[in-house]
Every structure is written in structure tokens, then in C-alpha cells.
Amino acid sequence: MTEPDALALLAVFLIPLGTALLLMVVPSTERSLLIGITALSGFAMFIISVMVFLQYDFEGAQFQGVRSWTYMENVGLLGKDGIQLKVGIDGIAAAMVLLTGIVILPGTWVSWKIQDRMKDFFILLYILTAGVFGTFVMLDMFVWFLFYEMALLPMYLLIGVWGSTRKEYGAMKLMIMLLAGSILIFTAIFAVYAEAGLGTFDLTRLYGVQFDEDFQKIYFPMIAIGCGILAALFPFHSWSPDGHASAPTAVSMLHAGVLMKLGAFGIIRLGFQMLPEGGEFWAPGLMVLGITAALYGAISALRQTDLKLMTGFSSVSHMGYVMVGLGTLNVIGWSGAVLQMFAHGIMTALFFLLIGGMYDQAHNRDIPNFSGMARQMPVWTVFFVIAGLASLGLPGMSGFVAELHIFIGAFRAYPLVGGLAVLTAAITATYLLRMFSQAFFGEFNERWEHLRDITFAEKCGATVLAGTILLMGLWPSPWVNRISTTIAETIPLVTL
Amino acid sequence: MDLNFRYELLAPEIAVAVTAVLVMFADAFRNELNLKRNLLPQISLLGLAVALVFSLMLGNVSDDFARLVQIDEFTTFFRVLFIAVTLILIIGSHEYIDRHVNHIGEFYGLLLFSTVGAMLMAGARDLITAYLAIEVLSFSLYVAVSLSKNDPRSGEAALKYVLLGGVASAMLLYGLSFIYGVTGSTQYSEISAALSAGNVDFETALILGLVLVIAGLGFKASAVPFHMWTPDAYEGAPIPITAYLSATSKAATFALFLRWFAGPLLPAIDHWQWILALLSVITMVVGNLVALQQHNIKRLLAYSSIGQVGFMLMCITAISEQTGSALLLHLVGYLITNLAIFMAIIAFYNRTGKEEINQFKGLAQTNPYLALVITSGLFSLAGMPLLAGFVTKFILFQSVVSAGYLWLVIVALVASTVSLYYYLQVIKQMYLYQPEDDGNGSNHRWNLTVTGYLSTGILFIGVVWVGVYATPFYEFADKAIAPLFA
């Protein structure tokens, strides 16, 4: 096997960034040109991320495709290799890059429906995408955080301008909470840099530093909470359902599908990998918050009638699993956590794509208002059921692979938590199946006679996502190999 | 004692001052000589360009003029910075000045004189010279603030500014006299020697002097609680002067802060460090909180700049070569960003005559370019990535943390997040709402003038350049700070 090329890692975030710049000079009236450019760009991102994932050699080095370009060094407070553009991925990042590549493709397709200021929408969407890709492939703390913030920045306008229902409120709440999280991450980064005293932000070198135990215990929770806000960690999740509910389709897809994973990824990259003793100390806490979020999210989802809010709370619940997995501190639980990040990303993107496809016609998302939709929108229903079954962890779907790992890991570490996690899965099944029976089956509501099935672009997008769900569910080894080898061999904190 | 009267060392200052005189004469005899109004900014630009060349030619010199002015990389850094600011300012605002300012000859003259004052503040190596330089800057600005045509707020602002400024100058001078009394010299090097020798008997007098000096400088930098004049002066002044107050006037004060607190007053660090720490906390908290309630864009920027001063004061508190270079880098980023916003606001005002925040409604549709410039400027001030503010603020905060002041930085981070909220209020108006139709075609698309595009364009590129590749600026700043700690 070969290693992924550093240039591919560079391309993966330079393509969306370059596309955003290119779009700025294209006149907004040239719709077909805009569609052409974004189609090419979306496809290129998809192909490259698949390539990167496949080329990643799980028997090779920890970080692959590593290459660095000096940005600033030996000036002011920076020593040698002070700040560099350093790319490289491990198995976890490879899976996350693939996730982003798969979600942005249909995300691009469904956004062509937007009539109002489509050009500006794509500029912001691609800046966000570049930020996400950049965060996954960067190995320099300064640049890592730069991309992390870059992924948050466009959210305000994307939701504020193109969103629906209480969009100003949702956008502002999301922005304020996420930036509050950034304060904590900032603080931790500054403190780590000062404490290490190496004069460099190079993560691989910082991983080699043995930080004082008390220092780790203070700063690990800062990173965990700071990044955790983005990962909808309980009790800092409240921006998430509102934000998702008000965001436009593609943004919900990327946000719930990828951006929330950025938070969990940050907890691993900056938290567990840099401050392992702090991580070990706080892992039980993370687990408690995780299982609380899982239960709380599922119970709240039971009460929701708005489809998007239900999916939003379901996301909170599923991200709770991720935290449970990380809290187990064993390889199988951790693998489950990362698998869940991937699986949830894909299925929640599919959810939001389908909800968007329906809302654009019906302008209504209240579950009780619908019934018998399977007759009117059969294709839509089929895809929705696939996403739903993946969400409740049916064997053969991606969700099963992930949740099984997490449950086993949790039972090994804390049987009680494992039990609660299984209970959560049962609640998830309840709200999803109830929703299916209310909305899809039963007597058809004549009010929705004008609704058409989802468009061709949406069908294509849904096929990509549903295909990934089934592929991972039926043949999980490409994911499991890459992820669990990385975890077992490179994260010393995590035991078998 | 041999004094070194090499006047060529002061060539940039002399060039700018001569230009100022020329401009005022050209204005006085405009009718007699049949000169066009446009000639005045053209002369100013030419003179500034010449001064810029002179400053760069003196870039490698390390010498002093009659033991009064020090010419080194630090001075060069600020000379280039101040000349560049005035250049851009004149390019971007000559139409505004033509239409909204009384006595344009005096206006350009005062602008140039104040630039001379600012450059000398950075170069002074003697308390008296420094004080005179401050007064050259301040007096020019007192008058310039009052020059807005048909705006009663302008005169009020000028009166408030001159009265409070006078008190501040008196405090500063009184403080300096204490320091002179304690150390027996007005020369920086001798003050430093006397203080570090430790044979200062009058500690109370020294502390009193330091407090007064900090109060005086705090006024000039508009640090809380000496900031009361700032919002009124910003609101009443012609917009180019507001921009100038927030840019050159602030930067010059920080040049002086650096010269004094990293040089002659450094041995007394135990006496002043806690005062500055306190000042910096109050300034960033109050500045950013009060900004939340503003409805006028100039007042908003006034409070936002007060908040920024708080961040910069952290560097003086934790003074070291590292924080110093970080501060210089941040000043560059802040100046470029702030000017970009102000140039955009001037272009907006030229077209619409409006300056309330809710009058920016729908600008993203009527002029997307201008909306983009303002948005990136505001995001840069808030410290968002790919824009100048992110890199410069990150380096600044990191340097302060590395110097052991984590708690100060935590306050700053919170304040900085609060600031994003009020910047978003402006951005919201521009992007989230439709333009209002007042019947005069105010909801149609419009374009800037050539000079409008030029000034905002240069600054916009600057904001992105510093944000994406700040290395040359940081290296320049690092070189500039070195002589202070040599």
C-alpha cells in the first residue's frame, strides 16, 4: 500500500478555498456557470477524499502524508518551526476527511435549488468546507485552530440569510455559544504553548512533551468543554437543535454531519493526544456527560413534533454515544466513538437532505400534519426509512457497527453505562418508529396532494449517502481497520 | 558635550512639515493663483511620498539627533506606519473633505502637522521632546475635530476634546516634572540609569509621577477611566479625523508607551505594572460592554477601539521584547483593519449621508463590495481567521500568556467574544435585511469612485494579506523592537 500524498491533503482544503475565491469573481447572474464550477469542485473534493481514505495504510506510520511548509519561525516569541503549514493524517482523520468529502457532494447538489443569492451561499459554504477539511488534516496547533474558527465563521450568515424559522435567533445563539467554546480552547492553546516552552505549535512535537499532571488536569476539561460545545456535549448542546432547525438544508447537513464531529475530533487531537493524563482523569466525567446527553437527547426527541428539531435532538443523543465511547478508554469503545462520528455524520446528512427536500415544497415540518406520505413520495420514504433504521442501529446499517462497538466498550468499562446506552437505543427506536407510522403510513392527508417526490439531484445525493450507510454496515472492515489500528497503536492512554 | 546636529536625520519630519506649510499657502493664495482644489491633496500626497522614501533611506541608520531624537528601526517602523496611514487617509477621503469640511487647506495642513508630531513621539529620546511632540499631535487634532461643516456636534466635540485634553496634558507634564525631579534628567538613558542605580530617595514622588504619567497617556490612548472624550470626539469629528484618531493618534501613544515603559521607566516596573494591569482590564471590559449599546457606527467604533486599547495595554503590562514585537504586529493589523472600515464608511457616507447602524440595511445588495470590506474589517477586529485580526491577536495574546499573564488574557478573550456580538449587529443589518426604499433610489446598486475603490481595495488586500501571510510584518516588527531592549 502507498501513503496518501501530502499534496492531496493540501488539495482537499485548497480546492474549496480556491472555489470560494473563484466564485467571488463570477457574476451572480451566470447561474449555469456557478452550477458547473461547484459541480466540478464538489466532485473533486469527493474523489480526493475517497482517494486519501483508500490510500491510507493502516499498517504504516502514525501520521501519513506528512509534509510541512514554514509559515513563521525564529521571530518574536516563535522558535524554530514556530508556525508551519503541516499536513498529515492518521486513521481517525482519514475517516473524517472521507466523511466530509461524502457529505459535501450531495450538499452541493441540493444547494442548486437556492434561488436567492446562490453565489454568496456557495462562497460561504465552501469557506466552511475548507475550514472543516483543514482542521482534519492539520498538524500544527495554530493552523489547526485557524481552520477550526474558519469553519464556524460562515455559520452566522449561512443561517441568518438562508435559514428558516427563527433564523436570527438560531444563528446568534449558535455563534455566541460556539465562540464561548473558542475562549476555552484559546486559553488552553496559549497555556500549552507557554508551558511546553518549545517555541513551536507543531502538534507532533507537543505530543512528545510530558506536561505536569496538575497542568493536564486543569487544561484537559477546558479543551473538552471548548470543543465539546461544538460536539453538542451536554449541557452545552442547546444551540444545536435550534441551529439545525433554522439552518438551510446543505448547512444542516454539513453542520450536523461534519461540524459537530470537528468538536469530538478536537477533543481527541488536542485533548486526549496532548494531555493524556488529564484525559484519563476526566474520562469518567466525559462518560457521565455523554450518557446523560444520549438519554436526554433521546427523551427530548420523543417530545418533538418538528422533524428538524427531532433530528437535532437525535443528533445530541448520538453525539452522546461518541462521548461515552471516548470515556471508555478502551480500543473497542474508542473505535466505536470514531465509527459513530462517521456513521452519524452520514445518516444525519441524509436526514437533513430529505427533510429539506420535503420542507421546500410543503413549508411545514410538523409530524402530526403528515400521514400516508409513503403513497405520495415513495422514494423519499424509502430513503427516510434507511436513514432511520441506521439511526436506531439496525444490523446491516452503519449505525449498528458503530453502536455495537460503543456498547461493548461501555459494558467492559462501566456495565451500568452500557445498560443505559442500550436503553437509549430503545428510546431512539421508539421515536423513530412512531414518526414513521405517523408520517409515512396511515390514511393519506389530502392537503399534501400537490407534493412531488424529491428532485433528481436529491435522489442522487440520497443514493450516495444511503449507499455509504449500507456499504459501511455490510463491509465495515475498511473503516474498522484504519480506525482501530490508529487507536491501538498511537494512543497509549487507550487500553485493550 | 558634543551635540550631533545632522538635520538629514530628520528629513522625513521636515519633508512632511514643509508640505504642510506649502498646502496652507497654496490654499491661502488659491484664488490669486487660480489653483484647483484638487491640488491640495495632490501636494500632500507628493510630500508624504517623498517623506516615505526618506524614512526608508534612513532605515538602517542608528543615530540620534542632538540627543533629542533617536533614529533607529523603531522610529523607522512608526515613520513608515504613520506616513502610510496619512497617505491612504487622504486618498480615501479627499471627496468627503471637499464636501463636508470647512477650510480644506488648514485641514490638510493640520493632518500633516499631526503626522509630524506622531513621528516625533516615536523617535523622541527626551521627555521634553516627547511632550512637545504630543502637543503637536494633539493641538492639530483639537482643531481638526471642529472642522466638520454644518454639524453642531463637531464644535461640541472639539470643545470637550480640548478641555479634557488640556487637563490630561497638564497631568502628564506634572508627572514628568516629578520624574525629572527624582532622577535629575529628562534624557531617557539617564533616567533609566538613575532608576536602576536604585539611589532614588523620593519613592512617593516617583509613584506620584508614574501615576500622573499613566493618567496622561491613558487619556491620549483613551483608556478607561480617561476615555470620556472619545465617543463624543469620534462622533462629532469629520470621519477622516475619526479614522485618524483611532489610528495614528493611538499608535503614536503606544509608541510612547513602549519607549517609556521599556526604556527609562522599566527599572521602576514594580511601581507601575499593577496600575497598567488594572487599567487594561477595566479598559477592555468597559469598552466592549458599552459598545453593545451603540446605535451610531462612529460611536460603536469608538468603544470598540477603546476595547482594543485594553488588549494593547496588556502588552505594556507584561513588557518584554516578545510582547513588544507582538504589540507592534497587532498595531499594524489594527491600523489596517480600522482604516479599511473607516474608508468604507466614508465611501458609504459620501453616497448616502448616513451613519446610523440601522441605516446600513441591505448594503450587501446595493453594494456588495463595500459590504464585504466592512464585514471583513469587523470580523478582523473580532479576531476571525484569514483576516489580520486573527493572527495579530493570537500572537499578542500568546506573548502575554508566555510572559505569565494568563488571567489578563482570559479577560481579554471574553471581552473579545463580546465584541463579536456588536460587530455582528452591523453585519446583520447589511446581510440579513432588504435595502429600504426612500424614494430616491436608495435601494439601487451603486458603485464607488475610483479613489474609493483604490483606498478600500488596498486596505482590504492588506487585511487579508496580514491574515494569510503575516510573516514579513512580524519580522519587521521584531526588528523594530530590538533597539528598545538592546
Side-chain angles (χ1 to χ4, degrees):
Chain A
M1 269 205 194
T2 49
E3 278 197 7
D5 192 38
L7 292 178
L9 299 183
L10 212 54
V12 91
F13 71 88
L14 284 181
I15 287 174
L17 206 58
T19 310
L21 284 179
L22 181 66
L23 289 178
M24 281 185 193
V25 294
V26 177
S28 51
T29 44
E30 301 281 334
R31 272 186 82 86
S32 47
L33 185 60
L34 291 173
I35 290 179
I37 293 174
T38 50
L40 266 179
S41 169
F43 192 65
M45 284 185 263
F46 174 72
I47 291 293
I48 294 178
S49 47
V50 171
M51 228 172 65
V52 165
F53 180 74
L54 292 179
Q55 281 177 349
Y56 179 81
D57 176 9
F58 58 86
E59 288 163 340
Q62 174 183 10
F63 289 111
Q64 300 182 9
V66 179
R67 190 141 154 209
S68 60
W69 290 263
T70 304
Y71 177 68
M72 282 183 189
E73 66 177 6
N74 297 326
V75 55
L77 55 88
L78 301 171
K80 179 156 171 28
D81 297 337
I83 298 176
Q84 14 169 16
L85 197 68
K86 184 171 184 176
V87 294
I89 51 167
D90 56 9
I92 302 172
M96 292 298 109
V97 167
L98 178 67
L99 168 67
T100 317
I102 293 179
V103 173
I104 187 64
L105 188 67
T108 303
W109 292 342
V110 300
S111 303
W112 293 334
K113 269 209 290 199
I114 291 174
Q115 296 299 322
D116 175 38
R117 293 194 258 170
M118 184 175 84
K119 171 182 142 177
D120 301 346
F121 180 86
F122 270 110
I123 292 175
L124 291 166
L125 186 72
Y126 279 175
I127 291 178
L128 185 152
T129 313
V132 172
F133 271 128
T135 316
F136 288 139
V137 301
M138 282 302 160
L139 289 178
D140 180 282
M141 200 161 56
F142 174 88
V143 185
W144 187 94
F145 193 60
L146 187 145
F147 278 103
Y148 181 92
E149 289 277 283
M150 199 168 110
L152 310 185
L153 172 71
M155 289 302 293
Y156 179 76
L157 288 175
L158 280 172
I159 298 179
V161 177
W162 291 275
S164 53
T165 50
R166 295 213 298 171
K167 56 187 184 181
E168 277 179 43
Y169 169 79
M172 190 58 95
K173 184 169 174 184
L174 173 139
M175 207 62 192
I176 298 286
M177 286 196 65
L178 294 187
L179 284 158
S182 296
I183 298 178
L184 296 173
I185 308 176
F186 257 125
T187 312
I189 288 180
F190 292 147
V192 163
Y193 177 88
E195 176 85 9
L198 294 176
T200 177
F201 284 99
D202 186 340
L203 274 173
T204 48
R205 279 178 63 192
L206 288 168
Y207 288 165
V209 177
Q210 179 63 42
F211 291 100
D212 181 58
E213 201 178 328
D214 289 329
F215 177 85
Q216 298 201 20
K217 282 182 190 165
I218 296 172
Y219 288 99
F220 179 84
M222 283 207 185
I223 290 173
I225 294 173
C227 293
I229 292 180
L230 185 54
L233 176 71
F234 184 86
F236 311 102
H237 62 280
S238 68
W239 59 270
S240 143
D242 285 318
H244 290 154
S246 38
T249 305
V251 175
S252 292
M253 286 170 63
L254 263 170
H255 194 227
V258 183
L259 219 63
M260 285 167 82
K261 280 71 201 173
L262 215 59
F265 184 74
I267 298 181
I268 298 174
R269 263 277 184 280
L270 296 192
F272 282 104
Q273 283 184 281
M274 202 159 56
L275 306 169
E277 286 167 29
E280 195 176 1
F281 182 78
W282 287 103
L286 203 59
M287 186 158 221
V288 170
L289 291 184
I291 195 68
T292 317
L295 272 170
Y296 168 89
I299 294 170
S300 306
L302 272 177
R303 294 269 303 134
Q304 302 306 320
T305 53
D306 182 323
L307 257 181
K308 262 193 161 179
L309 275 178
M310 189 195 86
T311 318
F313 277 106
S314 161
S315 285
V316 172
S317 168
H318 281 90
M319 288 307 287
Y321 284 148
V322 174
M323 298 303 156
V324 171
L326 294 179
T328 60
L329 291 185
N330 54 39
V331 172
I332 194 158
W334 263 59
S335 304
V338 180
L339 287 168
Q340 172 77 344
M341 280 155 72
F342 186 90
H344 174 250
I346 300 287
M347 75 195 169
T348 205
L350 182 54
F351 267 132
F352 281 118
L353 183 150
L354 296 169
I355 296 171
M358 194 269 300
Y359 179 76
D360 287 343
Q361 305 178 49
H363 300 288
N364 195 314
R365 297 189 300 238
D366 252 5
I367 302 166
N369 284 339
F370 296 93
S371 68
M373 297 303 287
R375 208 185 80 185
Q376 189 73 11
M377 303 170 75
V379 182
W380 180 75
T381 309
V382 168
F383 281 121
F384 214 113
V385 170
I386 293 179
L389 294 180
S391 177
L392 56 82
L394 190 80
M397 306 276 181
S398 58
F400 174 72
V401 180
E403 287 178 20
L404 187 70
H405 279 77
I406 295 177
F407 293 163
I408 296 175
F411 270 116
R412 277 197 194 166
Y414 303 95
L416 174 66
V417 175
L420 288 173
V422 174
L423 174 66
T424 309
I427 302 176
T428 309
T430 313
Y431 65 75
L432 280 169
L433 293 177
R434 193 183 60 179
M435 191 272 285
F436 288 174
S437 69
Q438 276 186 345
F440 300 156
F441 310 114
E443 201 174 328
F444 179 63
N445 184 345
E446 299 298 327
R447 178 179 161 196
W448 304 116
E449 246 178 1
H450 65 284
L451 293 190
R452 296 278 153 273
D453 214 329
I454 48 176
T455 63
F456 180 66
E458 283 159 352
K459 280 178 192 160
C460 293
T463 310
V464 172
L465 294 168
T468 314
I469 291 178
L470 290 171
L471 182 69
M472 186 179 163
L474 298 172
W475 188 42
S477 61
W479 284 270
V480 176
N481 282 345
R482 285 170 175 76
I483 292 166
S484 40
T485 332
T486 297
I487 291 167
E489 289 178 6
T490 63
I491 301 175
L493 167 72
V494 179
T495 54
L496 283 173
Chain B
M1 197 187 299
D2 266 346
L3 288 181
N4 171 12
F5 283 101
R6 287 175 57 200
Y7 282 96
E8 70 267 26
L9 290 176
L10 298 184
E13 282 84 1
I14 294 171
V16 177
V18 168
T19 313
V21 175
L22 266 179
V23 168
M24 284 161 95
F25 268 103
D27 186 44
F29 295 101
R30 203 169 63 204
N31 293 336
E32 285 78 357
L33 298 174
N34 252 335
L35 301 175
K36 286 195 190 124
R37 276 166 85 90
N38 262 347
L39 192 66
L40 302 178
Q42 283 160 5
I43 298 175
S44 314
L45 290 178
L46 192 68
L48 286 165
V50 171
L52 189 63
V53 173
F54 283 153
S55 322
L56 292 173
M57 281 163 63
L58 290 168
N60 293 322
V61 177
S62 184
D63 203 351
D64 63 307
F65 175 83
R67 312 222 303 148
L68 296 175
V69 181
Q70 180 74 36
I71 313 301
D72 51 21
E73 277 98 347
F74 187 79
T75 314
T76 306
F77 178 88
F78 278 103
R79 276 176 170 169
V80 171
L81 201 60
F82 294 148
I83 293 172
V85 168
T86 314
L87 263 173
I88 289 282
L89 196 68
I90 291 177
I91 294 175
S93 56
H94 71 95
E95 292 154 61
Y96 176 95
I97 294 169
D98 234 18
R99 270 189 266 166
H100 303 289
V101 165
N102 292 318
H103 315 296
I104 61 167
E106 281 81 349
F107 186 88
Y108 286 113
L110 291 166
L111 206 58
L112 294 170
F113 276 131
S114 63
T115 308
V116 175
M119 290 194 285
L120 284 173
M121 276 164 81
R125 48 168 290 161
D126 173 282
L127 292 181
I128 306 287
T129 315
Y131 180 74
L132 286 174
I134 295 174
E135 292 303 289
V136 170
L137 175 72
S138 304
F139 270 84
S140 314
L141 289 177
Y142 295 150
V143 182
V145 166
S146 73
L147 287 180
S148 197
K149 204 186 273 180
N150 307 328
D151 191 348
R153 289 177 307 177
S154 183
E156 185 194 327
L159 191 64
K160 203 161 178 180
Y161 187 27
V162 74
L163 287 176
L164 289 174
V167 174
S169 292
M171 282 199 291
L172 183 64
L173 200 54
Y174 196 33
L176 293 180
S177 71
F178 274 113
I179 289 172
Y180 170 71
V182 170
T183 60
S185 175
T186 57
Q187 288 281 316
Y188 292 178
S189 50
E190 287 169 31
I191 295 173
S192 167
L195 285 177
S196 45
N199 50 7
V200 175
D201 296 331
F202 307 98
E203 206 165 50
T204 323
L206 178 65
I207 294 172
L208 200 58
L210 287 170
V211 170
L212 287 168
V213 165
I214 289 173
L217 283 184
F219 173 89
K220 303 288 177 196
S222 50
V224 179
F226 314 107
H227 66 290
M228 293 302 184
W229 59 277
T230 313
D232 294 319
Y234 274 43
E235 191 185 1
I239 307 177
I241 291 300
T242 313
Y244 194 82
L245 279 171
S246 80
T248 301
S249 174
K250 287 235 155 74
T253 314
F254 276 95
L256 210 57
F257 260 118
L258 279 170
R259 275 269 190 222
W260 286 1
F261 289 86
L265 302 179
L266 188 61
I269 187 162
D270 294 337
H271 294 308
W272 54 257
Q273 199 166 29
W274 63 273
I275 307 180
L276 282 180
L278 203 65
L279 209 60
S280 125
V281 169
I282 309 176
T283 305
M284 49 202 179
V285 171
V286 171
N288 282 308
L289 286 184
V290 181
L292 290 173
Q293 306 161 351
Q294 303 307 317
H295 303 293
N296 180 294
I297 188 85
K298 283 153 87 182
R299 285 186 88 88
L300 178 95
L301 287 169
Y303 281 105
S304 122
S305 78
I306 292 173
Q308 295 282 339
V309 166
F311 302 150
M312 297 178 201
L313 280 173
M314 291 194 308
C315 275
I316 310 290
T317 309
I319 189 85
S320 75
E321 193 166 348
Q322 292 184 356
T323 52
S325 65
L327 174 56
L328 292 190
L329 175 68
H330 185 63
L331 272 176
V332 174
Y334 165 77
L335 253 53
I336 294 178
T337 306
N338 232 24
L339 280 178
I341 300 173
F342 272 113
M343 290 304 110
I345 289 172
I346 288 174
F348 180 75
Y349 189 84
N350 280 344
R351 160 86 189 189
T352 62
K354 293 170 179 166
E355 55 176 54
E356 294 298 313
I357 291 170
N358 59 18
Q359 290 167 332
F360 281 79
K361 269 197 183 73
L363 187 63
Q365 286 171 55
T366 54
N367 194 331
Y369 167 76
L370 206 58
L372 175 70
V373 173
I374 298 178
T375 306
S376 49
L378 294 173
F379 272 144
S380 171
L381 283 183
M384 288 291 135
L386 293 192
L387 302 167
F390 181 82
V391 184
T392 64
K393 231 189 223 176
F394 192 101
I395 302 270
L396 183 120
F397 288 1
Q398 178 70 67
S399 72
V400 175
V401 172
S402 292
Y405 279 86
L406 182 65
W407 65 274
L408 263 182
V409 169
I410 293 176
V411 178
L413 284 169
V414 175
S416 177
T417 305
V418 170
S419 77
L420 187 74
Y421 181 80
Y422 55 79
Y423 296 136
L424 279 179
Q425 299 302 320
V426 183
I427 293 165
K428 189 166 96 178
Q429 298 289 338
M430 294 190 294
Y431 283 87
L432 266 55
Y433 300 130
Q434 297 298 315
E436 274 171 358
D437 186 7
D438 62 2
N440 304 322
S442 67
N443 57 350
H444 293 286
R445 279 189 85 125
W446 53 280
N447 285 315
L448 304 182
T449 56
V450 178
T451 47
Y453 272 122
L454 189 66
S455 60
T456 51
I458 292 173
L459 290 162
F460 176 64
I461 291 171
V463 170
V464 176
W465 185 11
V466 178
V468 173
Y469 192 64
T471 313
F473 299 94
Y474 198 18
E475 278 165 359
F476 191 23
D478 202 39
K479 239 171 68 184
I481 203 75
L484 260 60
F485 292 89

